[in-house]
């Protein structure tokens, strides 16, 4: 039986160990902890990465361990420069997370982002459909609602009644310091099956209407990619720094465009800018009929076609009575979402 390789942390400093374990949790990396040089030497050769606390550095060097390709020394402190392989906390937290993540067996989850070509185009509905497709595929799925002015995809999923005393939203993340592993974050999130929803708490109006800061966007996305199998982001129709973080890290960006002249003109302004932030943009055209074909829409937008979704007569009734959309197997939204998720899973497995 194969034994998974684990990063070795060698330190007897409790405070330093606590910080390092917090960072490995954020990176979804399993570790072996050695509190003395003897235990560290026993695990040394089979560890892909060795992280030595400054408290044991001298003793380990004196013990003469065999050469190792990846050894880092970590200490609490400050400084303007970092010597080769030496990290200082808390300054180098981000660099250490990247270092821990680099040896993780789990590759980051794919990210599919959805944005409306105009207001009310149905981007949140498609985000919900993609998240439910992830659940049907057996994937742990994170749905990140990055639109501060939207109604929230949790409304469509019917999980907006989570107890506000336990619900975690963007406002909670803005008040936290450092990285939070997804398995810790998800405990307070609204959830449907295997879909966790990070959205805006309606009871906290202080942050409502303001775009996400870059740090919060980057931390949440990194945590979700390391802690789940699929990430879906519901994006606002703007290009603030936080939104560009999601775009720059997206495996696929879908622009939802109703097939009418006004929507296409509005979407053309969006796609011109989207192509500057990401190379993989697809148009999801809804309700094409009559004189405005999908070919005309995609030519005007200058992007490839993702889907030509026909009208869905029962959708209005589903939304009116508060049912969850895109659950029925005949739903065009559900069928397309299954196709997208299946393609993303195949690409990930092929790497």
């Amino acid at each position: 039986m194969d034994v998974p390789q684990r990063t070795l942390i060698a330190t007897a400093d409790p405070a330093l160990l606590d910080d390092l374990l917090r960072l490995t949790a954020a990176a979804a990396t399993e570790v072996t902890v050695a509190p003395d040089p003897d235990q560290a030497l026993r695990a040394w050769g089979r560890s892909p990465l060795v992280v030595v606390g400054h408290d044991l550095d001298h003793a380990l060097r004196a013990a003469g361990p065999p050469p190792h390709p990846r050894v880092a020394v970590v200490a609490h402190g400050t400084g303007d420069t970092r010597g080769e392989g030496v990290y200082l906390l808390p300054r180098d937290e981000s660099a250490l997370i990247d270092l821990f993540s680099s040896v993780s067996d789990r590759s980051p989850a794919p990210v599919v982002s959805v944005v409306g070509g105009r207001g009310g185009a149905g981007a949140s509905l498609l985000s919900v459909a993609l998240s439910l497709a992830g659940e049907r595929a057996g994937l742990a799925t994170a749905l990140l609602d990055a639109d501060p002015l939207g109604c929230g995809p949790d409304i469509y999923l019917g999980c907006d009644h989570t107890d506000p005393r336990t619900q975690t939203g963007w406002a909670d993340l803005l008040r936290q310091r450092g990285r939070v592993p997804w398995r810790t974050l998800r405990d307070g999130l609204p959830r449907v099956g295997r879909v966790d929803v990070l959205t805006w708490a309606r009871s906290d109006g202080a942050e409502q209407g303001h775009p996400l800061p870059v740090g919060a966007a980057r931390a949440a996305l990194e945590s979700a990619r390391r802690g789940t199998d699929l990430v879906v982001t519901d994006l606002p129709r703007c290009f603030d720094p936080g939104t560009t973080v999601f775009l720059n890290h997206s495996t696929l960006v879908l622009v939802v465009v109703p097939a009418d002249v006004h929507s296409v003109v509005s979407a053309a302004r969006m796609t011109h800018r989207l192509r500057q932030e990401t190379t993989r943009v697809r148009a999801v055209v809804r309700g094409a009929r009559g004189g405005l074909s999908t070919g005309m829409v995609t030519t005007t937008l200058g992007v490839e076609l993702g889907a030509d979704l026909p009208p869905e007569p029962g959708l209005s009734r589903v939304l009116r009575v508060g049912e969850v959309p895109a659950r029925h197997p005949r739903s065009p939204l559900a069928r397309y979402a299954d196709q997208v998720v299946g393609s993303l899973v195949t690409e990930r497995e092929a790497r």
Side-chain angles (χ1 to χ4, degrees):
M1 181 176 68
D2 292 334
V3 178
Q5 292 184 319
R6 296 186 175 192
T7 292
L8 170 62
I9 296 178
T11 182
D13 182 339
L16 183 60
L17 179 60
D18 284 346
D19 279 341
L20 291 173
L21 291 179
R22 174 173 55 84
L23 299 180
T24 59
T29 301
E30 295 188 351
V31 299
T32 297
V33 178
D36 59 63
D38 289 339
Q39 293 186 45
L41 290 174
R42 285 196 290 270
W44 189 276
R46 62 177 182 269
S47 300
L49 171 67
V50 176
V51 176
V52 180
H54 187 264
D55 59 303
L56 293 186
D57 184 33
H58 179 75
L60 267 171
R61 290 178 187 272
H68 194 289
R70 303 189 72 186
V71 179
V73 178
V74 183
H76 283 121
T78 59
D80 295 330
T81 60
R82 184 177 76 225
E84 183 177 357
V86 179
Y87 296 79
L88 294 178
L89 293 177
R91 187 195 63 189
D92 296 324
E93 282 192 359
S94 180
L96 275 168
I97 289 176
D98 291 340
L99 182 67
F100 287 131
S101 298
S102 69
V103 297
S104 174
D105 290 333
R106 184 192 186 102
S107 60
V111 180
V112 54
S113 294
V114 186
V115 61
R118 66 160 171 80
S124 293
L125 287 174
L126 181 55
S127 299
V128 167
L130 290 164
S131 301
L132 294 175
E135 182 186 32
R136 285 192 294 273
L139 305 178
T141 302
L143 174 52
L144 309 184
D145 173 22
D147 186 356
L149 297 177
C151 74
D154 55 322
I155 294 288
Y156 294 117
L157 286 168
C159 60
D160 58 304
H161 300 300
T162 302
D163 188 340
R165 293 172 296 179
T166 59
Q167 181 176 358
T168 301
W170 284 112
D172 301 283
L173 289 185
L174 297 181
R175 290 189 284 266
Q176 290 187 18
R177 180 181 177 273
R179 309 300 178 95
V180 181
W182 189 259
R183 62 175 175 267
T184 300
L185 181 64
R186 72 188 298 269
D187 289 340
L189 295 179
R191 181 182 308 144
V192 172
R194 304 194 70 181
V195 180
D196 302 319
V197 187
L198 176 56
T199 186
W200 307 81
R202 291 166 184 81
S203 59
D204 191 347
E207 281 80 19
Q208 288 184 359
H210 297 285
L212 283 173
V214 171
R218 185 177 291 118
L221 182 59
E222 182 177 287
S223 178
R225 293 187 73 199
R226 292 291 174 186
T228 68
D229 304 310
L230 174 68
V231 181
V232 180
T233 69
D234 186 1
L235 299 183
R237 297 185 66 253
C238 62
F239 293 91
D240 58 85
T243 299
T244 59
V245 167
F246 294 114
L247 291 172
N248 296 160
H249 290 85
S250 291
T251 312
L252 176 66
V253 176
L254 301 175
V255 186
V256 183
V257 188
D260 61 72
V261 173
H262 299 92
S263 298
V264 173
V265 171
S266 177
R269 298 173 179 174
M270 288 287 299
T271 54
H272 174 74
R273 178 63 191 281
L274 284 172
R275 292 197 303 270
Q276 299 175 16
E277 301 294 342
T278 181
T279 59
R280 196 171 177 190
V281 183
R282 301 290 184 270
V284 176
V285 183
R286 297 186 62 191
R289 61 186 183 277
L292 197 57
S293 66
T294 55
M296 294 174 64
V297 173
T298 55
T299 299
T300 302
L301 300 182
V303 299
E304 295 182 27
L305 179 66
D308 176 9
L309 296 181
E312 199 164 332
L315 184 59
S316 296
R317 184 199 65 80
V318 167
L319 297 177
R320 186 172 60 251
V321 300
E323 295 179 1
V324 179
R327 275 207 184 278
H328 196 283
R330 291 186 180 179
S331 163
L333 269 174
R335 289 200 304 267
Y336 174 60
D338 287 337
Q339 176 188 337
V340 170
V341 170
S343 298
L344 291 173
V345 170
T346 301
E347 289 180 15
R348 190 186 189 195
E349 292 176 346
R351 292 185 196 139

